[in-house]
């Protein structure tokens, strides 16, 4: 597989070269969490579209609970 994973750091740090898992990347073929960047972006767009379709109070609840009060699916702040 030659497509870069969305979680791969460009510069490895002391905690490894993956932003999601602690440690070094074992290689895309060995990792069950591998997702190419284009798929991650596609999934994010789908997730944001679903969030934007929810009632306002539910969007605010999700924003405060999981997005530090932000609503990136609407490009604004609660
Ligand atoms: S393939 Fe797995 S370990 Fe490697 S960067 Fe992606 S998510 Fe992290």
């Amino acid at each position: 597989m030659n497509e870069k994973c969305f979680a791969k750091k460009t510069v490895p740090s002391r905690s490894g070269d993956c932003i999601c898992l602690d440690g070094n990347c074992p290689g895309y073929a060995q990792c069950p969490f591998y997702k190419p960047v284009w798929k991650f972006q596609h999934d994010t767009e789908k997730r944001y579209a679903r969030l934007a379709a929810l009632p306002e109070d539910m969007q605010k609840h999700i924003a405060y609970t999981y997005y530090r009060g932000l609503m990136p699916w609407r490009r604004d702040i609660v």
Side-chain angles (χ1 to χ4, degrees), residues 7-50:
K8 184 86 171 172
K9 290 180 187 172
T10 53
V11 179
S13 69
R14 288 170 57 191
S15 62
D17 55 3
C18 175
I19 61 171
C20 296
L21 305 175
D22 193 21
N24 291 317
C25 177
Y28 305 152
Q30 285 78 39
C31 181
F33 302 103
Y34 166 73
K35 187 182 285 191
V37 172
W38 69 265
K39 176 85 167 100
F40 176 76
Q41 290 170 339
H42 175 75
D43 292 349
T44 299
E45 287 174 19
K46 284 175 59 178
R47 185 173 69 249
Y48 283 179
R50 289 188 66 186

Side-chain angles (χ1 to χ4, degrees), residues 50-74:
R50 289 188 66 186
L51 288 168
L54 293 173
E56 182 74 17
D57 59 333
M58 199 175 286
Q59 287 187 46
K60 285 183 178 178
H61 172 73
I62 291 170
Y64 284 122
T65 305
Y66 301 107
Y67 291 88
R68 293 178 293 162
L70 302 175
M71 291 181 167
W73 56 93
R74 290 183 5 183

